[in-house]
Amino acid sequence: MSLPTTAALPEDAIAALSTSWFGAGLSPEAVARLAGIAAFRDVAAGTELTREGSLTEAFSVVLTGRVALRMLVPERGMITILTVEPGDVIGWSAVVPPHRGTANAVAIEPVRLLEMPGERLRALLRSDHALAASVYPRLLQAVSRRLSATRLQLLDLFAREEWGRREVSPW
């Protein structure tokens, strides 16, 4: 269940973004510009925030709670590949064409997000080159962190599966 999105007071959004992993690496000017298009969104546990392959409508910073990123793994079903903690982001696909989700994101406990509509964020980045020059490296860092964590999780998953299939030899 998603609760209503509430307009963020600029100072509240600036404070929330500044203290997040994502926002802490940005200049005060960049934080203020992003906060200007942001809103707070509270979601209940079990709420699906993004769906793999579907249009990603918003880029969000997780302020409180945790979000599971899940992928469909052949012969295994839906697997949680990563848990996103406060300060990190979800919905980076809203910024990067074709704007389609790369995983299902599900709140595993009540979550508070600072959410920026994808269309407005893309327009802002297109019109403000200095902002884009500061946001895109942070976005790439977020994607890189996500890719590394996902790779390790999948390696662990398949290593455990392979280990379970091996017969124990007496040497």
Side-chain angles (χ1 to χ4, degrees):
M1 173 179 154
S2 183
L3 302 174
T5 301
T6 56
L9 294 174
E11 59 275 7
D12 293 341
I14 289 170
L17 189 54
S18 295
T19 58
S20 71
W21 167 85
F22 182 79
L26 299 174
S27 70
E29 296 80 17
V31 169
R33 294 291 312 265
L34 294 174
I37 64 165
F40 292 107
R41 179 177 174 206
D42 296 300
V43 296
T47 302
E48 186 175 72
L49 301 167
T50 64
R51 181 180 288 273
E52 185 174 1
S54 293
L55 184 64
T56 303
E57 302 282 347
F59 174 78
S60 303
V61 177
V62 177
L63 301 176
T64 62
R66 296 181 312 139
V67 177
L69 298 182
R70 298 177 175 156
M71 293 178 67
L72 183 61
V73 176
E75 298 180 25
R76 298 289 305 220
M78 196 60 72
I79 301 293
T80 297
I81 55 166
L82 183 67
T83 301
V84 179
E85 304 285 338
D88 212 342
V89 300
I90 58 170
W92 60 264
S93 301
V95 181
V96 180
H99 315 297
R100 302 283 175 196
T102 57
N104 294 350
V106 179
I108 54 177
E109 57 190 46
V111 173
R112 181 156 231 223
L113 304 168
L114 184 64
E115 191 171 78
M116 291 160 258
E119 195 170 302
R120 289 189 67 196
L121 179 56
R122 292 189 302 272
L124 187 60
L125 295 173
R126 278 192 305 273
S127 69
D128 186 336
H129 296 236
L131 179 64
S134 64
V135 167
Y136 281 121
R138 293 302 284 173
L139 185 62
L140 285 171
Q141 283 181 318
V143 173
S144 176
R145 288 167 43 142
R146 186 75 40 84
L147 191 58
S148 294
T150 301
R151 180 178 176 271
L152 291 174
Q153 178 68 14
L154 289 174
L155 285 173
D156 182 54
L157 173 74
F158 290 116
R160 279 188 276 135
E161 182 178 290
E162 185 62 29
W163 181 256
R165 283 192 232 169
R166 290 189 187 161
E167 291 181 24
V168 179
S169 78
W171 299 73

